Amino acid sequence: MQTPILDPVACSGLSRRNFLRIAAATSALASVPVLTESRLAFAQRPKFADPNKGIHIDANENPLGPSESARKAIAEIIPKGGRYEFPMQMELGETFAKMEGFDPSYVDVYAGSSEPLHFTVLAFTSKDKPLVIADPGYEAPMWAANISGAPIIKVPLLDPKGAATHDVKAMLAASTTPGVIYLCNPNNPTGTVTSREDVEYLVSKAPKGTVILIDEAYIHLSDAQPSLDFVKDGKDVIVLRTFSKLYGMAGIRMGFAIGRPDLLKQIATFGGQNSMPITAIAAAKASLIDTDLVPTRKKLIGEIRAENLAWLKSEGYHATPSVSNCFMLDVRRPGKEVYAAMAQKDVYIGRIWPAWPNCVRVTVGSREEMAVFQKTFKEVMSGSTAGLEPQPIHERMRETPFAYLS
Ligand code: PLP
């Protein structure tokens, strides 16, 4: 008997036009990595940087790691590691949906928020539908827009020496046909919050069909009002959440995209909804239902942040008024020199944004780490750093696209 030839279009249940669009998109995906914070941080780490040595406050990680409840859940689930356990994944989405008052169809589970971020930009931007983003802002959406061929419109933060928030009016004025307006609240790298009033204004005035992508990676660290209600109200809003920051699970990988089911479906055509590691699912669920976790960690990280911002002020330096686990620090000389000088002393601070060349991003680490940061920063700033350049990047990270970000 002849083996039947399978027609992928017929089997997929998609129209031929959609199938070809998705095929083109996925072949682009196959050759291009999703840009993540870890990739950006590692791209600038010098070759000599030993991950087990020195102070690493360059990737907005959480030195506390997973909570006790998450660790216990991981240990308990390991014997089941030979199974896919797909229902667990659904249950995780359902748990979050229930806690936030959503129908589960509004929540998709991903291995961190980088993928849904990337896919949202791919799905809703194109050469005629620009990406609008704050500057300085998180670079990953720009990388995705580069792939979709969308123009990238960077809008400077409002009041850069003060509140440093998204200039929502200027963002709206930047294009008449934006595909995606990206708002990170609190913002990476400044750690600053854009007011609820401004977010509401942005959502209410955005042109029809524009997706407002609200990245709440750092929301748990702040008192900012979450934007999930816009999704409940049926707006063209997608909210991203991750377990990488307050929950300390950057290496374990878990996150959510929250949006109207029709929007989530469009994102999912670019990839996603793969079977998640059951260790990550178990840890995320345990973290979600651990009612002490957010307030305890928010308080601790907030105290360490406040101590360091106060110390920097007493030393005469301006830093952004962060409510998150990172801030931008004005070093009043090329930030790359200070970065390089700190790295020579095994203290790895964050990268430099071209719009603010005299600033460096600093992640709030543990108290012990920040004590080393302070000592080293003082030493570095009391000497000359003229001419110092960051060392060559790791071999495998070379292709990370910094050039187009400037
Ligand atoms: N969004 C922002 C603003 C981030 O800073 C990060 C990571 O640092 C992410 C999203 C994605 O993180 P992950 O993929 O680990 O969830």
Side-chain angles (χ1 to χ4, degrees):
M1 203 180 107
Q2 212 185 348
T3 314
I5 298 167
L6 295 180
D7 177 348
V9 178
C11 291
S12 69
L14 294 165
S15 71
R16 186 163 292 273
R17 195 165 151 263
N18 273 347
F19 181 85
L20 292 175
R21 188 176 65 83
I22 292 163
T26 45
S27 68
L29 279 178
S31 56
V32 185
V34 172
L35 191 63
T36 59
E37 180 64 43
S38 68
R39 203 172 181 92
L40 286 158
F42 274 88
Q44 66 163 19
R45 268 187 203 171
K47 266 189 179 155
F48 57 78
D50 177 345
N52 298 313
K53 209 172 132 226
I55 303 297
H56 295 267
I57 45 174
D58 59 354
N60 290 355
E61 295 156 325
N62 184 342
L64 297 168
S67 65
E68 281 310 314
S69 51
R71 289 170 199 222
K72 190 161 167 275
I74 291 172
E76 281 172 3
I77 204 71
I78 285 174
K80 283 197 167 176
R83 304 273 173 198
Y84 293 117
E85 297 291 349
F86 192 72
M88 269 180 69
Q89 184 167 328
M90 294 176 68
E91 201 191 310
L92 175 65
E94 284 163 13
T95 304
F96 178 78
K98 197 165 171 203
M99 288 169 82
E100 299 292 348
F102 280 102
D103 183 85
S105 59
Y106 281 69
V107 181
D108 273 353
V109 174
Y110 284 90
S113 59
S114 294
E115 282 182 348
L117 189 162
H118 189 87
F119 300 152
T120 302
V121 176
L122 291 183
F124 299 106
T125 66
S126 64
K127 73 178 186 16
D128 307 315
K129 293 177 163 187
L131 165 76
V132 179
I133 184 165
D135 193 20
Y138 186 45
E139 304 96 321
M142 295 195 273
W143 174 226
N146 214 34
I147 300 164
S148 72
I152 298 166
I153 306 178
K154 296 200 239 175
V155 177
L157 290 176
L158 195 63
D159 190 13
K161 297 269 177 221
T165 62
H166 288 74
D167 189 343
V168 292
K169 288 195 174 139
M171 290 177 96
L172 283 166
S175 164
T176 49
T177 57
V180 170
I181 302 180
Y182 173 79
L183 188 138
C184 186
N185 214 21
N187 189 39
N188 178 9
T190 53
T192 49
V193 165
T194 298
S195 72
R196 168 68 183 194
E197 204 186 340
D198 281 352
V199 182
E200 259 172 32
Y201 186 86
L202 178 65
V203 172
S204 66
K205 302 280 185 205
K208 204 169 163 5
T210 298
V211 168
I212 311 288
L213 180 58
I214 305 184
D215 189 335
E216 296 192 337
Y218 301 92
I219 194 88
H220 309 98
L221 293 151
S222 77
D223 291 325
Q225 187 175 334
S227 287
L228 293 174
D229 55 319
F230 297 119
V231 175
K232 272 186 209 151
D233 290 347
K235 308 284 189 215
D236 289 332
V237 169
I238 294 173
V239 175
L240 301 176
R241 290 283 178 91
T242 179
F243 287 84
S244 295
K245 306 302 169 186
L246 179 133
Y247 292 108
M249 287 175 40
I252 311 240
R253 315 296 302 140
M254 187 52 68
F256 297 135
I258 305 121
R260 275 199 335 260
D262 62 298
L263 297 178
L264 294 185
K265 210 167 156 188
Q266 291 190 64
I267 308 175
T269 55
F270 287 84
Q273 293 299 284
N274 194 357
S275 211
M276 296 293 140
I278 63 170
T279 40
I281 302 171
K285 173 134 186 248
S287 302
L288 273 185
I289 61 178
D290 181 343
T291 48
D292 285 340
L293 188 54
V294 173
T296 310
R297 287 191 167 189
K298 181 177 163 189
K299 184 167 178 289
L300 176 64
I301 295 167
E303 283 167 3
I304 301 173
R305 178 185 64 234
E307 288 159 17
N308 280 277
L309 292 179
W311 178 79
L312 286 164
K313 193 173 174 197
S314 72
E315 293 288 316
Y317 292 99
H318 174 75
T320 49
S322 167
V323 292
S324 180
N325 72 343
C326 63
F327 52 84
M328 282 290 252
L329 172 59
D330 186 349
V331 290
R332 303 189 298 253
R333 56 176 102 170
K336 64 179 182 182
E337 291 179 7
V338 176
Y339 168 82
M342 297 286 284
Q344 278 181 355
K345 293 173 182 285
D346 268 337
V347 176
Y348 302 97
I349 55 175
R351 55 192 178 272
I352 286 87
W353 270 254
W356 292 10
N358 287 358
C359 290
V360 290
R361 189 189 68 187
V362 178
T363 299
V364 178
S366 66
R367 265 206 179 89
E368 296 70 30
E369 287 172 332
M370 296 315 278
V372 180
F373 160 75
Q374 288 187 10
K375 182 174 162 289
T376 312
F377 182 68
K378 214 169 165 163
E379 278 167 23
V380 161
M381 296 306 285
S382 64
S384 167
T385 53
L388 281 181
E389 285 280 337
Q391 296 289 312
I393 57 177
H394 277 266
E395 207 68 36
R396 291 188 56 210
M397 293 293 169
R398 283 233 170 102
E399 73 271 26
T400 299
F402 280 111
Y404 80 92
L405 296 172
S406 52

